[in-house]
Structures are given as structure tokens and as C-alpha cells.
């Protein structure tokens, strides 16, 4: 039994995955663009994650672009039988590192092909449709056309399961009439709590919720309450923030990212941290 087993498992795409996984975004260069400063370190982080028991890795071919998937393939292929690799499509990168929508059927098909080629796979386990009506957060708009295009790729056998990212509750409801949705990936953390109702609704349906930026993303979480709780528990603020997410709902799966082996192990140690009720109450007040 590894340390991260203490956080338990949850079903994603019909597979039992450990609730602490790994997000590969930070393996690319600055701004998630270009190659990493130290490719050997990036490979070491991926191998250390697997060695620590991680069986859920989140990636996308627009990280880099192409960088993180090629690193994953080099580090981990042939892949462990129990490893679930989740990728996302719906965006592309401009030459200036901008994030641009890529919703047309031919763009989505090309994105699936690129993910397959760079990961060295014949079928993608889970593909999340990343909505881009607003780059900075969920915004209303119909997802029917791009989702139908991905469902067509699913029928062709290129995609096994479909998830959604950067969505609203209304878009989730629209999506369920088009395809089976196995997971939702939105921004959510101690300080960014807009999805409370969505998380609880998904939990009643047995659908996984995967918060991105669980530690605040490009602007890390900072709070005196968080720091005080961490000090009392002899943990780091980031470990407390991850433990709070694990205790928030059973369907939450975490994919904290890092480009450091030491930081990876620090994040995974959150699996064994149990927050007492008074600490949870203090942390709840932050949001």
C-alpha cells in the first residue's frame, strides 16, 4: 500500500482511480509554452508519480504544444495497465502563446490525432471538451456542435469516454442529452468556490469532479487562515488546501501539478492528512 492509497479511490470512466493524481501542465516551459528548462527533471517527475502509486495523469496536446504528451510517452510508455490518461481538446496555441478556441470538427479531429500520435496510443481513454467561450472561466453558450463531433470520434473508436471542462451547470445538462459524460474539470479551490452546487449534484450521479488550479494556479492561494491551520497541523498550506478538497466531496479527484520531484511528494503526502472539524470550519470561511 502506498501513501496515496489513504485518500481512497473513485470511479472515472469505469476505472477505479486513486483520488490523488498528477497534472502534467507544469512540465512545459514558462506559460505552458515551449520545452521545459530541464527535460530530465520532467521525465523524473513523471516516473516518480507512477512509482508513488499515481494511476491518473491529466494532460493535453496544447500544453507546449505537444511537449507534455511527448514527455509522458518518453517517460512512461509502455504504460502501466492501470494508468488512466485523461486529455483535453477544444483549444490551440497561437504563436504568441495565446490560448485560442479550436471547436470546428476538423480542429477537434486533428487534436485527437495529435494526442494519439504524441502519447503513442491507438485510443484515448478520456477526452475532455474544454469550452472556450471565455478563456478565464465558464460562460454560457451551446456546446452541442463540438460535443457531437467528439461523439462521432468516439463512435470511430478513437475516444473511449468523454468529459467536459470549463463548463456551467446548464452546459452539463445540455451535454447529457448528446453523450455520456464521465467527468467535469473546472476551476475550484478553497478560495474559488463557484461550483459547490455542481459538485454536489455530480456526486449524487456518481460523476467525478476534477478541480483544476486546486492550489490557485497562476496566483497561488494565500490566506492567513490557511497558514494558521497548516502551522497547527505541522503541514504546508498547500497540503492543507489539497486535504480540504479531498474532504469536501467523495467524487473530487485531484491532479496537482509540479515540475519538482520533492514538490510532487509533498503534494501526495496530503493523502494522509485528516483535517479536524474546527480546521474545516475555518477553511470553509475563506471561500
Amino acid at each position: 500500500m502506498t501513501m496515496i492509497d489513504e485518500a481512497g479511490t473513485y470511479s472515472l470512466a469505469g476505472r477505479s482511480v486513486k483520488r490523488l493524481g498528477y497534472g502534467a501542465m507544469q512540465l512545459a516551459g514558462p506559460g505552458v509554452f515551449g520545452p521545459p528548462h530541464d527535460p530530465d527533471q520532467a521525465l523524473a517527475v513523471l516516473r516518480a508519480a507512477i512509482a508513488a502509486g499515481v494511476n491518473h495523469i491529466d494532460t493535453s496536446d496544447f500544453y507546449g504544444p505537444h511537449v507534455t504528451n511527448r514527455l509522458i510517452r518518453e517517460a512512461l510508455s509502455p504504460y502501466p495497465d492501470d494508468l488512466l490518461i485523461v486529455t483535453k481538446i477544444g483549444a490551440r496555441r497561437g504563436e504568441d502563446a495565446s490560448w485560442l478556441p479550436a471547436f470546428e470538427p476538423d480542429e477537434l479531429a486533428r487534436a485527437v490525432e495529435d494526442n494519439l500520435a504524441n502519447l503513442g496510443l491507438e485510443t484515448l481513454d478520456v477526452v475532455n471538451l474544454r469550452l472556450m467561450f471565455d478563456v478565464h472561466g465558464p460562460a454560457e453558450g451551446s456546446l452541442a456542435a463540438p460535443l457531437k463531433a467528439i461523439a462521432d470520434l468516439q463512435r470511430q473508436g478513437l475516444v473511449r469516454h468523454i468529459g467536459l471542462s470549463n463548463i456551467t451547470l446548464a452546459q452539463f445538462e445540455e451535454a447529457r442529452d448528446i453523450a455520456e459524460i464521465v467527468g467535469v474539470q473546472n476551476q475550484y479551490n478553497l478560495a474559488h468556490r463557484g461550483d459547490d452546487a455542481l459538485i454536489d449534484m455530480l456526486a449524487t450521479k456518481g460523476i467525478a469532479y476534477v478541480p483544476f488550479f486546486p492550489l490557485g494556479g497562476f496566483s497561488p492561494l494565500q490566506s492567513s487562515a490557511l497558514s494558521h491551520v497548516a502551522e497547527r497541523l505541522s503541514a504546508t498550506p498547500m497540503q492543507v488546501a489539497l486535504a480540504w478538497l479531498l474532504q469536501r466531496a467523495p467524487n473530487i479527484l485531484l491532479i496537482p501539478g509540479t515540475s519538482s520531484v520533492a514538490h510532487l511528494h509533498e503534494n501526495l503526502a496530503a493523502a494522509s492528512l485528516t483535517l479536524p472539524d474546527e480546521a474545516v470550519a475555518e477553511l470553509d470561511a475563506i471561500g
Side-chain angles (χ1 to χ4, degrees), residues 13-281:
R15 307 261 291 272
S16 177
V17 301
K18 295 176 188 181
R19 292 185 64 210
L20 261 167
Y22 175 72
M25 187 171 82
Q26 291 188 34
L27 294 183
V32 201
F33 200 70
H37 170 66
D38 185 344
D40 289 339
Q41 176 72 3
L43 297 173
V45 169
L46 287 162
R47 290 171 181 144
I50 297 299
V54 166
N55 66 354
H56 170 206
I57 289 180
D58 182 85
T59 185
S60 173
D61 212 53
F62 55 67
Y63 295 162
H66 316 309
V67 170
T68 60
N69 282 352
R70 289 171 182 169
L71 288 167
I72 289 168
R73 182 179 186 176
E74 183 178 348
L76 304 178
S77 181
Y79 300 110
D81 289 341
D82 70 335
L83 177 61
L84 185 73
I85 297 177
V86 178
T87 188
K88 68 184 72 64
I89 61 176
R92 62 182 178 83
R93 305 302 295 279
E95 290 184 12
D96 59 351
S98 55
W99 303 80
L100 305 168
F103 274 179
E104 294 302 317
D106 62 323
E107 293 176 306
L108 296 167
R110 189 161 61 248
V112 165
E113 288 165 10
D114 285 348
N115 276 282
L116 288 168
N118 288 314
L119 287 166
L121 293 169
E122 293 181 0
T123 307
L124 298 173
D125 285 326
V126 182
V127 170
N128 287 328
L129 170 61
R130 208 290 185 187
L131 295 191
M132 294 287 287
F133 296 118
D134 184 341
V135 175
H136 303 292
E140 296 297 353
S142 175
L143 50 62
L147 187 57
K148 285 174 181 173
I150 297 175
D152 194 43
L153 297 168
Q154 185 182 39
R155 283 188 286 274
Q156 294 172 39
L158 300 176
V159 172
R160 284 197 183 92
H161 300 277
I162 299 172
L164 301 171
S165 179
N166 203 39
I167 63 151
T168 66
L169 179 57
Q171 287 160 340
F172 174 79
E173 297 296 352
E174 180 188 22
R176 295 189 78 206
D177 292 333
I178 298 167
E180 182 187 357
I181 303 302
V182 300
V184 170
Q185 190 178 105
N186 274 10
Q187 182 177 0
Y188 183 82
N189 55 49
L190 259 176
H192 193 283
R193 304 272 294 281
D195 269 1
D196 276 333
L198 177 60
I199 290 169
D200 294 339
M201 184 274 289
L202 293 173
T204 67
K205 300 181 185 302
I207 296 175
Y209 182 93
V210 184
F212 65 74
F213 295 160
L215 302 175
F218 298 115
S219 51
L221 296 175
Q222 290 176 324
S223 151
S224 55
L226 178 59
S227 300
H228 291 151
V229 169
E231 207 172 305
R232 290 205 308 273
L233 298 176
S234 300
T236 69
M238 298 301 100
Q239 286 170 335
V240 170
L242 292 172
W244 179 85
L245 285 166
L246 288 171
Q247 286 179 228
R248 167 63 184 80
N251 61 323
I252 287 181
L253 295 173
L254 299 185
I255 49 165
T258 177
S259 56
S260 149
V261 172
H263 191 209
L264 169 78
H265 289 303
E266 189 179 290
N267 285 340
L268 297 180
S272 56
L273 181 61
T274 301
L275 303 178
D277 291 345
E278 67 271 15
V280 171

